[in-house]
Amino acid sequence: MKITEDFKGDVAIIGLEGKVMGGPDATIFHGKLHEYSNSGKKKVVVNLAKVEWMSSVGLGMLISALTTMKNNNGQLHLANVTENIESLLTITRLVTIFQTFDTVEDAIKAFK
């Protein structure tokens, strides 16, 4: 998995690319979320446009990210959710927990 980051105003955008399976990449991902929270960035968009595949551990990584942001009075939105990931979210009923958007721009506009 490759992780990229970008910023638009007060929103941090984390791009995930490739196969999301957890492991050492999950540690890096969570480190970035804590870094954002500690620096006052409370709005995060996770861009899933280039994710080829996601394991249950990768899904757990997203759940943990959402929890981390909520515990730090932040928000996390998912953008560019592919059909495969949307199916995974639907099957696990996590589609009711995550806020998902078609584009990064839509996810940014939806922050309160």
Side-chain angles (χ1 to χ4, degrees):
M1 175 177 85
K2 182 179 175 187
I3 300 172
T4 59
E5 61 184 330
D6 192 15
F7 301 94
K8 294 213 174 166
D10 64 343
V11 179
I13 303 160
I14 298 179
L16 302 182
E17 189 174 326
K19 295 180 180 178
V20 179
M21 302 185 302
D25 293 327
T27 305
I28 294 168
F29 178 71
H30 288 296
K32 289 191 179 300
L33 291 173
H34 287 288
E35 181 184 313
Y36 299 150
S37 290
N38 292 339
S39 68
K41 291 206 179 297
K42 303 290 185 184
K43 300 172 186 173
V44 175
V45 174
V46 180
N47 185 357
L48 302 172
K50 295 183 179 179
V51 172
E52 299 167 15
W53 183 80
M54 182 177 289
S55 70
S56 59
V57 176
L59 188 58
M61 189 176 92
L62 291 180
I63 295 166
S64 179
L66 181 64
T67 303
T68 296
M69 292 309 296
K70 283 187 175 185
N71 287 344
N72 289 291
N73 298 314
Q75 300 175 64
L76 183 132
H77 292 172
L78 302 180
N80 295 309
V81 178
T82 61
E83 281 185 41
N84 291 341
I85 295 172
E86 188 170 349
S87 295
L88 191 59
L89 292 174
T90 302
I91 290 168
T92 58
R93 295 195 172 121
L94 292 171
V95 73
T96 60
I97 294 172
F98 286 102
Q99 290 187 320
T100 62
F101 300 89
D102 292 335
T103 66
V104 170
E105 292 75 21
D106 288 345
I108 291 171
K109 287 178 191 172
F111 282 118
K112 298 173 186 169

